[in-house]
Amino acid sequence: MIRLAIQKSGRLSEDSLKLIRECGISFVNSSLKLKTEATNFPLEILFLRDDDIPEYVADGVADIGIVGQNVLVEANQQALEVQALGFSKCRLSIAVPKTDTFNSIADLNGKNIATSYPNILGNYLAAHNVKAQIHTISGSVEIAPSIGLAEAICDIVSSGSTLISNGLREVEHVFKSEAVLISNQNLSEEKQQIIKQLLFRIQSVQKAQKSKYILLNAPNDSIEKIKSLLPGMKAPSILPLAEAGWSSVHSVVNEDDFWEIIEKLKDAGAQGILVVPIEKMIL
Ligand code: PRT
Ligand code: ZN
């Protein structure tokens, strides 16, 4: 049995639960409960505040956890980052009032900067030889300049609209973050085996999300050209159609290349192109 710590309620919660379910793991989730046990996998889930997750994992209260890299690095705990999970992407940035001039980070010398991330910011400023006063506050960092608490802030940015609506301008990217799976460093062989199985499932889900299954019909004299456009997992499957001189081609395409490939396939003579999602992908 392994224990996984996830955020109880916040920006990571829904995607964390979705990922566990996509791995084929079933459990009953009640918003009132602090923990739940999976019914078909040796896994117990603990629901915690995200800031507590690195420490719980480092101490071994939980074996693994899902948390933002920003929280992991800020907490400075002995927990291993095992796998990037691709959701809750954001950045930690320095912002100043939009009317202030800002030429380089050296302009922050002697200034007051409000943040909830004193460790990450402190390291960044030290690496750039900037001496500024860091004011640690736990929330509503974006209002600090307007109430006269600080001349600049360092906070999480996603779309950027919070900064804009508070009259601030992003001037430095300090740290890039996404949700990650973290692990305790001293796990038993048995627990490591269970985590290996879980990671295998997570990676299969991630590969599937990046890929699409494609089916199309093409005249036989276009098949060589189409094969070169669709390498597939090994090679595309080519099946004869009931109509003489035509074949059906089945393959897998990467989502990033998708539109470019579709155009080229049409130019090569492909017809009746179907694109369908893939649920799991085992290579
Ligand atoms: O209660 P608990 O302590 O568990 O949760 P929390 O309130 O500390 O964290 P939560 O749920 O807000 O965020 C959890 C994690 O989501 C963060 O640690 C980041 O890794 C990630 N994340 C992704 C974000 C954002 N996007 C985000 N936009 N965390 C916070 N924000 C906030 C930011 O602080 C700012 O106030 O959203 C605002 C900026 O958003 P934009 O879109 O206006 O730029
Ligand atoms: Zn938090």
Side-chain angles (χ1 to χ4, degrees):
M1 171 79 79
I2 53 166
R3 264 189 175 176
L4 164 71
I6 64 169
Q7 189 186 26
K8 182 166 167 48
S9 109
R11 289 170 205 266
L12 298 164
S13 308
E14 199 179 308
D15 284 333
S16 302
L17 291 171
K18 183 164 156 258
L19 177 65
I20 301 164
R21 291 212 167 90
E22 282 170 345
C23 288
I25 298 173
S26 309
F27 53 91
V28 182
N29 181 26
S30 147
S31 59
L32 297 173
K33 277 179 97 186
L34 293 179
K35 63 178 182 177
T36 188
E37 204 171 303
T39 52
N40 58 355
F41 196 82
L43 178 80
E44 189 174 50
I45 304 170
L46 294 186
F47 299 98
L48 301 172
R49 281 202 59 193
D50 68 343
D51 313 71
D52 295 333
I53 292 175
E55 190 178 345
Y56 273 60
V57 170
D59 291 350
V61 177
D63 302 304
I64 52 175
I66 296 178
V67 74
Q69 279 166 317
N70 52 313
V71 169
L72 174 67
V73 173
E74 182 62 29
N76 200 14
Q77 294 280 344
Q78 298 295 314
L80 289 176
E81 184 179 318
V82 192
Q83 173 78 50
L85 299 174
F87 57 83
S88 290
K89 289 190 175 169
C90 57
R91 55 197 186 271
L92 191 62
S93 291
I94 297 176
V96 298
K98 65 171 189 266
T99 47
D100 286 12
T101 48
F102 183 95
N103 298 313
S104 79
I105 186 158
D107 293 355
L108 294 173
N109 270 306
K111 298 274 164 64
N112 298 292
I113 311 176
T115 188
S116 306
Y117 295 88
N119 293 333
I120 298 178
L121 175 61
N123 289 337
Y124 186 82
L125 294 177
H128 291 82
N129 283 319
V130 172
K131 289 203 167 43
Q133 284 76 50
I134 297 176
H135 292 264
T136 306
I137 52 176
S138 58
S140 304
V141 174
E142 64 279 358
I143 63 166
S146 64
I147 60 170
L149 178 69
E151 289 96 8
I153 66 161
C154 176
D155 199 13
I156 299 284
V157 181
S158 169
S159 66
S161 61
T162 301
L163 293 184
I164 292 171
S165 59
N166 285 279
L168 299 169
R169 174 164 69 99
E170 196 173 356
V171 290
E172 287 278 325
H173 289 183
V174 173
F175 188 81
K176 246 177 84 179
S177 180
E178 65 182 275
V180 285
L181 186 76
I182 62 171
S183 158
N184 178 276
Q185 289 185 321
N186 303 301
L187 293 176
S188 66
E189 189 55 38
E190 187 202 341
K191 286 185 175 182
Q192 286 183 39
Q193 281 309 319
I194 300 173
I195 291 167
K196 228 171 125 182
Q197 283 178 40
L198 180 63
L199 267 177
F200 175 75
R201 293 190 188 192
I202 290 175
Q203 285 160 3
S204 302
V205 170
Q206 287 184 330
K207 275 182 209 129
Q209 280 167 351
K210 285 199 195 127
S211 305
K212 298 270 179 262
Y213 191 74
I214 181 163
L215 306 91
L216 58 88
N217 297 331
N220 287 344
D221 55 10
S222 309
I223 292 296
E224 278 313 309
K225 172 81 188 149
I226 287 174
K227 264 167 73 179
S228 70
L229 294 168
L230 288 175
M233 286 164 76
K234 205 166 202 162
S237 311
I238 316 250
L239 310 163
L241 277 190
E243 190 175 327
W246 281 76
S247 296
S248 166
V249 181
H250 298 206
S251 191
V252 171
V253 290
N254 188 305
E255 198 165 45
D256 298 335
D257 308 329
F258 178 73
W259 287 111
E260 199 185 333
I261 289 181
I262 295 290
E263 288 304 318
K264 288 184 181 157
L265 289 171
K266 276 168 52 193
D267 291 346
Q271 293 181 7
I273 304 173
L274 292 181
V275 179
V276 285
I278 298 171
E279 199 171 304
K280 307 278 185 307
M281 199 162 145
I282 321 292
L283 296 181

